[in-house]
Amino acid sequence: MALKLSVVGCGYLGATHAACMSSLGFEVIGVDTDPEKIAMLSKGELPFYEPGLDTLLASEIKTGRLTFTTDFSAVADADVHFICVGTPQSKDGLAADLTYVKSAVQGIAPHLKKGSLVVGKSTVPVGTAQGLREQLAQSAPQADLAWNPEFLREGFAVEDTLTPNRLVVGVANDRAEEILKEVYKPIIDLGTPWIRADLPTSELVKVAANSFLATKISFINAMAEVCEAAGGDVTVLAKAIGYDPRIGNRFLQAGIGFGGGCLPKDIRAFMARAEELGAKQALEFLREIDAINLRARQRVIDVVRAELTDDLTSYKIAVLGAAFKPDSDDVRDSPALDIAAQLQAAGASVVVHDPKAIENARKRFPKLGFAANVQECVKDSDLILHLTEWREYRELDPNALAALVKKKIVIDGRNALDRDKWRSAGWKFHALGRSD
Ligand code: UDX
């Protein structure tokens, strides 16, 4: 008999996981407490933007294998339950807020059938899985718990779920591993590396990976600061060091730094947890990684002030990009939107454009100006800020834009625009980490 699956929490991670598991042929029930989200998903409509997931979701709903509900008791039939709820930064500190994870496990506990396996996918502080497993031993001794961290990137969610570069499972016994091997058989058969770990190591793998990625980005942004001071060019530096395979050229794009729903909160929660464990010193460097990252935003604002004046009240600034990265409508901890809001708070008139994220950006900062297209955004502006590297911005014609603006000044916060092309169209061009 084929295994039946449930997915608890149908946000970014859960909706993706549910649709992808259904596409592997499993019967999947998705559960979430948000009735609006469930209504949309049930119709095959995605509540956020993710390339390829919209069509996959719609086609899986049509097969009848994939259903969604707000009723937790609907998981009773399932053999494996994936916990995919959020673990945001808590309101009063750096630590992760585990409310949703705990209530998800409590919510399904009364409905778990004999021999079923609860599998956490959410990013949690090390030790959480062991604690939940002990709780479950009290409330639902017929079930077991494992951890299976998720490494999906927004913009590549389907690809990263169906063809991940590794599968990591944290298990306390062979049976849990066997069940997970059955679920992931089609992916394992592709040759995907399979890593069995204990519960704490599996939790640590996720935060270690994200800390490493954050460190790489902040490293190159620190080099950008030095390049600016010394008259160097960080884009050339990154290319040159990236040829060393031990370093590699990925995640060395200097600019306004990392944002999104994962890297910033994960490194903070990791620091908080290390401190609780008495290993504070080991992760002190992450404080610096965070500081370098936030400083990049300030550096852009400094260039704006240097180009215009300290008093920004009489200037119109056009901001290209609101999402935390291209191919996403996610504005959580978006460096682009933070810079836009800070400039507006400093008195500038700020108009933001983004191909996908305007609606989310408006919800977060309703007082910012928004434009439906680039032309309207830059019209009569004194300065253009390029803050999210969407392809359509790289393809802009600087000659055509020159006719629309008041002043031809552009700051490339992502080192993605063609500097020569903009300069030959008469623009004053600045980029982070490039002193020339
Ligand atoms: C990240 C991890 O990559 C993923 O494995 C994990 O599961 C969740 O967190 P995601 O948040 O989707 O994924 O974004 P990612 O592609 O890692 O980018 C994060 C941020 O870093 C973005 O704001 C991006 O603009 C920035 N970034 C990335 C840089 O500033 N420079 C780079 O070279 C790469």
Side-chain angles (χ1 to χ4, degrees):
M1 267 274 279
L3 293 173
K4 288 186 183 170
L5 314 182
S6 90
V7 173
V8 186
C10 297
Y12 216 97
L13 170 57
T16 307
H17 195 65
C20 287
M21 291 302 108
S22 167
S23 78
L24 295 180
F26 292 106
E27 205 175 296
V28 183
I29 175 86
V31 192
D32 198 289
T33 51
D34 179 348
E36 251 174 72
K37 203 183 276 176
I38 289 300
M40 279 187 82
L41 290 167
S42 300
K43 284 188 274 179
E45 291 168 15
L46 203 56
F48 51 86
Y49 174 71
E50 174 62 35
L53 184 59
D54 44 358
T55 45
L56 185 74
L57 174 74
S59 63
E60 291 309 315
I61 289 283
K62 280 203 191 113
T63 64
R65 283 191 300 267
L66 177 62
T67 48
F68 292 94
T69 178
T70 53
D71 178 5
F72 275 68
S73 71
V75 307
D77 244 8
D79 307 282
V80 184
H81 308 266
F82 289 100
I83 306 295
C84 296
V85 294
T87 49
Q89 187 173 335
S90 50
K91 293 199 171 57
D92 53 359
L94 296 185
D97 177 354
L98 294 176
T99 317
Y100 305 110
V101 175
K102 287 180 184 157
S103 63
V105 175
Q106 271 162 19
I108 59 169
H111 310 292
L112 295 174
K113 70 177 180 189
K114 191 165 185 300
S116 56
L117 183 67
V118 178
V119 183
K121 288 191 82 65
S122 311
T123 304
V124 290
V126 59
T128 306
Q130 189 53 43
L132 289 171
R133 191 165 184 267
E134 282 159 17
Q135 270 173 32
L136 210 58
Q138 302 293 320
S139 59
Q142 72 281 17
D144 191 9
L145 183 133
W147 218 258
N148 168 219
E150 182 55 61
F151 303 97
L152 68 81
R153 298 161 296 166
E154 296 192 12
F156 300 89
V158 175
E159 184 185 324
D160 285 351
T161 305
L162 292 175
T163 54
N165 41 33
R166 78 291 210 190
L167 285 163
V168 179
V169 296
V171 292
N173 50 55
D174 292 345
R175 186 177 175 272
E177 184 184 17
E178 288 314 315
I179 293 175
L180 283 164
K181 275 193 171 158
E182 199 176 329
V183 173
Y184 288 125
K185 185 171 185 309
I187 300 176
I188 297 170
D189 287 349
L190 299 172
T192 309
W194 175 265
I195 295 169
R196 172 179 171 159
D198 52 32
L199 290 172
T201 307
S202 69
E203 293 164 312
L204 284 170
V205 168
K206 174 62 192 269
V207 279
N210 275 355
S211 298
F212 193 86
L213 294 172
T215 301
K216 236 182 148 181
I217 300 169
S218 277
F219 173 82
I220 204 64
N221 283 334
M223 293 305 112
E225 289 184 39
V226 178
C227 281
E228 281 166 19
D233 184 330
V234 74
T235 62
V236 178
L237 182 145
K239 196 170 165 190
I241 64 171
Y243 277 115
D244 182 335
R246 293 170 304 174
I247 296 173
N249 59 11
R250 310 278 302 275
F251 268 66
L252 280 186
Q253 186 78 17
I256 58 171
F258 58 81
C262 291
L263 298 193
K265 71 137 173 100
D266 286 354
I267 62 167
R268 292 172 194 153
F270 198 15
M271 282 187 270
R273 185 65 185 132
E275 188 168 350
E276 285 168 9
L277 292 168
K280 180 176 181 211
Q281 226 183 347
L283 297 188
E284 270 305 328
F285 74 97
L286 287 179
R287 210 170 294 283
E288 197 53 40
I289 297 306
D290 203 5
I292 294 167
N293 191 51
L294 295 176
R295 207 151 66 217
R297 304 174 188 190
Q298 192 51 50
R299 281 163 48 226
V300 171
I301 295 170
D302 292 345
V303 182
V304 172
R305 288 191 195 277
E307 271 306 322
L308 301 173
T309 53
D310 262 346
D311 177 9
L312 296 174
T313 42
S314 57
Y315 294 105
K316 174 182 169 181
I317 297 172
V319 171
L320 300 182
F324 84 105
K325 71 174 191 181
D327 295 319
S328 168
D329 66 354
D330 195 343
V331 298
R332 282 177 295 171
D333 210 336
S334 165
L337 206 49
D338 184 21
I339 291 168
Q342 286 197 51
L343 287 169
Q344 194 207 25
S349 147
V350 180
V351 179
V352 181
H353 174 265
D354 191 282
K356 296 284 178 199
I358 288 184
E359 226 178 286
N360 286 340
R362 202 197 302 272
K363 273 186 225 151
R364 231 21 228 87
F365 293 104
K367 292 201 181 112
L368 276 174
F370 292 97
N373 56 57
V374 172
Q375 287 66 28
E376 193 192 315
C377 176
V378 305
K379 196 166 182 306
D380 298 324
S381 64
D382 296 281
L383 189 143
I384 296 180
L385 279 177
H386 172 246
L387 300 183
T388 312
E389 67 277 34
W390 287 92
R391 174 198 272 265
E392 78 167 77
Y393 298 149
R394 281 201 295 282
E395 291 170 352
L396 286 171
D397 175 4
N399 281 302
L401 293 187
L404 300 172
V405 298
K406 205 189 279 173
K407 284 191 181 142
K408 288 187 276 181
I409 308 172
V410 62
I411 302 173
D412 184 3
R414 289 295 187 179
N415 278 306
L417 300 178
D418 182 340
R419 181 171 67 178
D420 294 343
K421 195 165 96 177
W422 283 77
R423 283 198 176 150
S424 54
W427 288 78
K428 193 164 185 193
F429 188 100
H430 293 283
L432 288 186
R434 303 177 86 181
S435 32
D436 163 16

